[in-house]
Structures are given as structure tokens and as C-alpha cells.
Amino acid sequence: MNPNFFNTIIDHLDSQEIVSLDGIIVASGIGHGPIKALDIATKTFEEHLIVNVKGPLELINKLLPFMQIGQLKKIIVFSSVSALVDIPMQSAYCLSKKMLDYHLKKMSVELRSKNVYLTTLRPGLINTELVAEHLKSYKILNVSDVSNICQMVLDSSIHIDSLEFYSHSQLHPNKLIHC
């Protein structure tokens, strides 16, 4: 991960004189595999942690000052259904997404007192260049479906803690909390 990445974002917000963000959508991920759990190199494991855990959490922390406290704000973070389901030959990816999820649950509770609501999305496979070539036989989500789900969460008058979904017709809200 480029160490100047976060500064570039902050500089851009400052240059556009953005004083307040109504919402943040964070999507970040890297996965190497298939790799047996016992064969994962330390460098590969660390890369998963940096991109899949540290990156999203650091970005949220850098952008939080741009969210005016007191007004209802929303943060959407993409995790993965892999945080809930152990996938053979993908242990580094699954573990990194589980770590992200665990931290997001704790962060969500802390942010509520500031009227900032965090939703974790755990999609199945999304039709991107990263997966499309290798997974032609699997049912995968279209990018537009995922975009529509993000918009639904942003527009919702209720808070959705998390959603797991495998296709646009299979939404599974864990909890609904009225704001």
C-alpha cells in the first residue's frame, strides 16, 4: 500500500474545500490463492493484513474528522462473506476479513454515540476483473447490484448493521436498528 495514499485523499478533500462528508464507502481487498494454510508465506499473510484490515481502518480514521459530529452520517465498509465462511485454500484472506469484521463491530458501537452509523457489507463474489476470469462457473454479483445495495443502505431511514448477500435477490439483514 502506498504510504502517501491517505495524504492524497485528504489533500484532495482540502483542495475541494470539502468541510463535511455525509457518508464514506470503503472497499479494499486482496486475495492470493489457492494456498494451503501451512504454506502461507509471512509476506503474503502480512500483505493481506495491510490491505484488508489496516487499509480500511486507517482510511476511516483519516476521514472521520470530515464527518460533522451530531448530524446523521453513514459509513459502509466492504468485508466479505469469507469472514463468516471458512474457504479451503483461502485462510489468509478469510482470517483478514474476520479480523476486519471484529474490529468494525467494536468501532460501530463507539461511533453510534457520535451519530455515525457503520454498516458492514459481506458480499459473495462480485463480477470484477479480479475474479471473473477464474470463476466463470460460479454465480457472481454484478457491480451494479452492489452499487444499488450501497445506495439502499445510504438512503435507508433505519440503520443496518450488516448484510450478507450472494446475489441481488438474496439479501440477509442481520439486525435492523431504528435510528
Side-chain angles (χ1 to χ4, degrees), residues 45-109:
F45 184 70
E46 287 173 350
E47 188 175 21
H48 279 82
L49 293 179
I50 289 168
V51 174
N52 296 347
V53 182
K54 183 181 178 194
L57 297 177
E58 201 168 316
L59 180 61
I60 292 168
N61 285 331
K62 295 278 187 183
L63 293 178
L64 272 174
F66 288 90
M67 300 186 98
Q68 289 182 352
I69 304 304
Q71 297 178 3
L72 176 64
K73 305 294 180 173
K74 294 186 179 185
I75 299 173
I76 298 173
V77 182
F78 279 83
S79 179
S80 170
V81 74
S82 298
L84 307 173
V85 179
D86 295 320
I87 300 172
M89 310 292 274
Q90 293 291 328
S91 62
Y93 181 77
C94 294
L95 179 59
S96 67
K97 291 300 184 174
K98 287 177 193 231
M99 290 174 71
L100 175 65
D101 267 23
Y102 183 81
H103 190 84
L104 291 173
K105 285 179 187 176
K106 306 313 173 215
M107 183 184 272
S108 178
V109 172

Side-chain angles (χ1 to χ4, degrees), residues 4 8 12-13 29 58 73 77 89 96 100 110 114 125 127 129 138 171 173-174:
N4 295 320
T8 302
H12 177 73
L13 292 173
E58 201 168 316
K73 305 294 180 173
V77 182
M89 310 292 274
S96 67
L100 175 65
E110 294 172 15
K114 298 177 180 181
L125 298 170
N127 189 6
E129 289 180 31
Y138 291 89
L171 293 178
N174 271 356

Side-chain angles (χ1 to χ4, degrees), residues 74-76 119 121 148-160 163:
K74 294 186 179 185
I75 299 173
I76 298 173
T119 298
L121 297 183
N148 290 337
I149 291 167
C150 284
Q151 193 62 54
M152 176 196 74
V153 170
L154 289 173
D155 293 342
S156 176
S157 62
I158 57 174
H159 173 62
I160 302 169
L163 286 173

Side-chain angles (χ1 to χ4, degrees), residues 22-39:
D22 293 328
I24 301 170
I25 299 175
V26 180
S28 173
I30 188 170
H32 295 292
I35 303 172
K36 292 180 181 179
L38 296 174
D39 294 339

